[in-house]
Each structure stands twice: as C-alpha cells, then as structure tokens.
Amino acid sequence: MPALAPTAYYDPLTAEARQTLFSAASYLNDDEFMQLEKACAYAFHAHDGQTRKSGEPYITHPIAVATELALWHMDIQTLCAGLMHDVLEDTGISKIEMAAEFGEIIADMVDGLSKLERLEYNDYAEHQAESFRKLILAMTKDIRVIIVKLSDRLHNMRTLDSMRPEKRRRIAQETLEIHAQIANRIGLNNVYRELQDLSFRSIYPRRYATLQKAMSAFHRNRRDVIGKVLRAFSQRLVGLNIEAQIKGREKNLYSIYQKMQDKNLHFADVMDIYGFRVIVNNIPACYAALGALHGLYKPKPGKIKDYIAIPKSNGYQSLHTTLVGPYALPIEVQIRTREMDAVAE
C-alpha cells in the first residue's frame, strides 16, 4: 500500500478527529505513536472515498472507535485494531497484507472482528440471546477483540440517528440483548449503562423522553444529592480517622425504567436512584466505616448484607447497606477494600 500524503488529513472533520485521537493516546511512547500514525494512514487509505449514512467521511468512525479505546488506556495493538477494524471487511486488503505491515497479532485481531461482524442475530428470545453471547465469547481468543467490538458498537449507537427508524430499533434491540450484557460481564460498567440508555432511546423514544423529563424535574427539586452525601460521608469518615475513597453515581435511565416495569411502579415511586461506594484500606476499616455511616444516616432494616464474611460464589466481597439520606431518599452503599474492589471490577 502506498504511503499516505499528509495532505490527506487536511479535511477539517478528519483532521479534528485525528487530533482528538492523538491527544487521548498521549500515554503512548514515541515508537507506539509512529505505529498509531501508520495505522491511521493505512485505514484512511483503505476507506478513501467511503462515507457513512450521515454523509461524513467513513474514516471518522474508526478514528472515533480508536479514540474511545485510548480513553480506556488500551495498548497500541488494540488501538491499531480499532483503527483498522473494518479494513478487511470493507476493502480489498487481505489478512496476509495487513500482517506484513502490522504483524500477526494485529491482523488476527482485525480478522476476529470481521468474523464477529458476519454473525447474525435474529432471535430475541432470552435463551437465544444467552447462546449468542456465549458464541461471541467462545469465538474470541483475545479479549481485546471484544473490547474493540464494544467500542465500535458504542460509537455506532451514539450516531444511530441517520438510520431508518425500523433499523434503529433492530440494532438497538441487538445491542441491549447482546453487547450491553457482554460489557457488563467483562466489567465495562460505564459502557454497559450507556449502551442500555442509547438502546432504550431508540426502542422506546417517547418513553425515554418522558422519563428523561421526569429525571430533570427530579434533579431540580433535589439539587446536588450526590454532592451532599459525598461531603457528609467524607466529613464523618475523616473525623473518625478512616481513610477512604468515596464514589457516588446515579442510576441510569434504563435501569430506572426496568424497575418501573418489573414492579409496576410510577416514576415517583422509584426512590433508590443513588448509589455510593466506599473503598478503604483493610477489612476492619470496612466494618468501622459501616458503623460510622449508620451513625450518620439511618439504615433501612433488612437491607444490610455482609458479603465479606460470606462472599458470593464468584468471589465477590463487600458490605452492602441502604441508608435514608437527604430528602428521605434511600441511598445504596457498598463498602469494600481496594483488593475487593479490583476483584469486583
């Protein structure tokens, strides 16, 4: 393949996307940067003249996929596979040719992505979805292939609006049943939640809009709940000389919608919207933190679980409790050591 002239990047949209990628990949060393530049040029040349449904140059998609992978701090081989993930599928370039330029490992990863792309998922029954997820995982020798595939699907879902409504719904349903669940299984929790919400928006746009509006009103009426709880937790633990890292998050729209459906609730009846994680240095500090937080906010009876003394079958360990927080809102809390958190993640 001939070398790509630098002027090929002068298209403003492509140049901006490329700059974003290289900024996100600033953790690479000089040799890796050179390889990334080579893969970028290779993909650009391979997709030259191709466009997306939106009319944008096709190269903006693999660059976006690689950028997301860089934000996850993936290695150079994964970034190159992300840049070239559609090259074998959509162009006349062979695996042998790619291997000659980038080595067998990267070529094998791209070939694995092409094989996953050819799989078709047509049955949305739960048992079929589970079988299909197992097939994808069994076909993939290198977990990085799955990670690239999830980044690919994430960008496609973020840019799904240019598709016809019926195709959007079909892709979103597949994403919800397959890709989101795989993301959850391998520990990409933020990807899992975003894929759920993006799928929800495409499958049930009116329900999504209604719930989003309700959440906006909820935020206006209960400003900065997470900030208030984080500050209160921090002050209480610092006051008792318990060193801790505290994280807070809000449940995503799809998980709230699921709870409303499963328990036949109205939005106003879904209260446990906030979750917090307290990470401490050792096991005694876990129990000390539990007592401290129970002294700060009243615990809900029957909601205390000790998975440290009795771990789950998969090795998960943590203390769970639900507290009555600001505005009488239930807040779910997990307390664990750094080692337990690493296992859980």
Side-chain angles (χ1 to χ4, degrees):
M1 175 177 290
L4 181 72
T7 52
Y9 286 129
Y10 286 179
D11 166 70
L13 191 62
T14 304
E16 183 181 355
R18 176 184 169 280
Q19 183 57 47
T20 302
L21 166 61
F22 278 76
S23 295
S26 60
Y27 57 89
L28 299 178
N29 63 38
D30 290 344
D31 289 342
E32 290 169 338
F33 262 117
M34 289 178 63
Q35 189 172 14
L36 187 66
E37 179 67 81
K38 181 181 176 182
C40 203
Y42 200 85
F44 192 107
H45 184 90
H47 294 297
D48 190 27
Q50 296 178 356
T51 58
R52 306 194 79 208
K53 288 282 186 183
S54 63
E56 295 175 335
Y58 191 85
I59 187 63
T60 58
H61 167 63
I63 290 177
V65 170
T67 301
E68 193 68 27
L69 293 168
L71 293 173
W72 302 344
H73 277 235
M74 299 303 297
D75 62 20
I76 183 60
Q77 291 174 330
T78 309
L79 299 188
C80 289
L83 277 166
M84 301 185 294
H85 73 273
D86 280 332
V87 167
L88 300 184
E89 185 72 17
D90 294 348
T91 73
I93 295 170
S94 70
K95 180 184 175 183
I96 293 173
E97 290 174 307
M98 183 176 287
E101 293 287 340
F102 294 96
E104 292 288 343
I105 293 176
I106 291 175
D108 282 343
M109 290 173 71
V110 175
D111 186 52
L113 286 156
S114 296
K115 288 175 180 175
L116 290 183
E117 192 65 30
R118 289 193 287 270
L119 292 177
E120 292 189 9
Y121 178 63
N122 298 312
D123 184 351
Y124 301 126
E126 179 56 36
H127 70 278
Q128 175 67 15
E130 178 60 22
S131 298
F132 197 81
R133 290 194 292 267
K134 287 180 179 178
L135 175 62
I136 288 175
L137 293 169
M139 282 180 61
T140 309
K141 298 176 183 178
D142 189 334
I143 191 65
R144 293 176 298 176
V145 172
I146 294 289
I147 293 171
V148 175
K149 182 61 185 174
L150 291 173
S151 180
D152 173 38
R153 181 54 64 113
L154 183 60
H155 184 251
N156 281 331
M157 289 299 296
R158 287 171 176 171
T159 56
L160 204 58
D161 290 346
S162 57
M163 298 287 186
R164 300 187 308 275
E166 63 273 15
K167 189 169 185 179
R168 281 205 305 269
R169 286 191 292 272
R170 179 182 62 77
I171 293 171
Q173 187 69 50
E174 180 185 54
T175 300
L176 189 62
E177 296 286 345
I178 303 300
H179 299 88
Q181 298 304 319
I182 290 175
N184 185 41
R185 189 167 297 182
I186 67 173
L188 290 173
N189 297 317
N190 290 336
V191 178
Y192 167 60
R193 289 190 288 270
E194 186 175 353
L195 287 176
Q196 283 186 320
D197 282 354
L198 291 170
S199 299
F200 178 31
R201 186 179 69 179
S202 290
I203 298 168
Y204 301 114
R206 291 183 181 177
R207 297 181 195 182
Y208 178 90
T210 300
L211 190 53
Q212 190 177 48
K213 185 177 179 180
M215 279 295 287
S216 296
F218 177 86
H219 290 149
R220 286 194 298 272
N221 294 332
R222 298 167 178 83
R223 293 184 184 278
D224 195 28
V225 171
I226 291 178
K228 286 180 180 179
V229 174
L230 287 174
R231 287 189 293 273
F233 278 15
S234 179
Q235 289 170 5
R236 175 55 62 99
L237 295 175
V238 167
L240 294 173
N241 294 317
I242 300 172
E243 184 180 336
Q245 180 185 7
I246 309 167
K247 303 176 183 177
R249 73 170 181 87
E250 184 177 275
K251 284 188 176 179
N252 61 315
L253 286 182
Y254 182 72
S255 65
I256 294 170
Y257 171 73
Q258 267 190 313
K259 186 159 192 175
M260 290 168 62
Q261 292 293 105
D262 293 345
K263 299 192 175 182
N264 196 26
L265 300 173
H266 295 291
F267 176 78
D269 300 321
V270 180
M271 299 298 288
D272 53 338
I273 288 173
Y274 298 103
F276 293 82
R277 184 175 301 165
V278 178
I279 303 170
V280 296
N281 293 331
N282 51 53
I283 290 177
C286 290
Y287 292 99
L290 180 69
L293 298 183
H294 281 179
L296 177 65
Y297 294 123
K298 184 179 178 181
K300 295 193 75 173
K303 294 292 186 178
I304 303 169
K305 307 285 186 184
D306 188 344
Y307 295 116
I308 294 179
I310 307 174
K312 290 188 177 183
S313 59
N314 61 4
Y316 174 87
Q317 289 183 286
S318 191
L319 298 177
H320 290 193
T321 187
T322 301
L323 309 174
V324 181
Y327 309 104
L329 289 171
I331 52 178
E332 298 175 346
V333 184
Q334 301 169 346
I335 305 171
R336 58 178 70 145
T337 66
R338 300 181 196 283
E339 292 78 11
M340 292 172 190
D341 191 57
V343 170
E345 288 297 315

